[in-house]
Amino acid sequence: MKHRKYTNVVQTATTIVREEGLGALYKGVVPTMMRQGCNQAVNFSVYNWFKKMVLEYRGRKELDSWESLILGGVSGGMGPLVNNPLDVVKTRLQKQVVTPGKPAK
């Protein structure tokens, strides 16, 4: 069997800190926070907008359970559509290899 560098969460975190420093655990944290914030903002905004439209159209004050389910699914799909560019940036930042004195790979 091939030897794996990382075997579990604690061992992986310890190895990363030992080899790269504590900051390596937070590599890409700013784009991750931006992505999550953007995702949630889009999800809630789209859900509320659709909810308002459906309630006005139907002349009611509350959604049925199945309507909430559908609107939640649609609005939940909109977040990743909007935040995908940030996700690409985040992944590239986290994936790059930085060697002192050399350009990042």
Side-chain angles (χ1 to χ4, degrees):
M1 185 167 160
K2 192 174 185 180
H3 177 70
R4 296 186 317 187
K5 183 175 183 176
Y6 303 122
T7 57
N8 61 56
V9 174
V10 174
Q11 183 269 339
T12 301
T14 304
T15 302
I16 290 170
V17 170
R18 187 175 355 98
E19 292 179 358
E20 302 174 46
L22 187 61
L25 292 176
Y26 294 93
K27 195 172 170 184
V29 73
V30 172
T32 299
M33 292 181 342
M34 290 173 58
R35 182 199 60 165
Q36 280 305 106
C38 177
N39 184 46
Q40 295 306 310
V42 170
N43 286 350
F44 286 118
S45 298
V46 170
Y47 181 85
N48 285 323
W49 184 80
F50 276 133
K51 179 180 176 181
K52 181 181 173 191
M53 293 293 128
V54 169
L55 291 176
E56 283 178 8
Y57 179 76
R58 301 268 211 145
R60 292 186 301 167
K61 293 189 180 211
E62 279 190 44
L63 295 173
D64 289 337
S65 296
W66 68 270
E67 291 170 322
S68 288
L69 178 70
I70 301 253
L71 293 182
V74 170
S75 65
M78 294 306 203
L81 283 175
V82 172
N83 74 24
N84 193 67
L86 285 171
D87 204 25
V88 170
V89 169
K90 173 197 75 76
T91 302
R92 298 261 175 113
L93 279 171
Q94 289 174 325
K95 188 179 166 195
Q96 75 180 343
V97 177
V98 180
T99 307
K102 294 183 180 179
K105 294 182 186 177

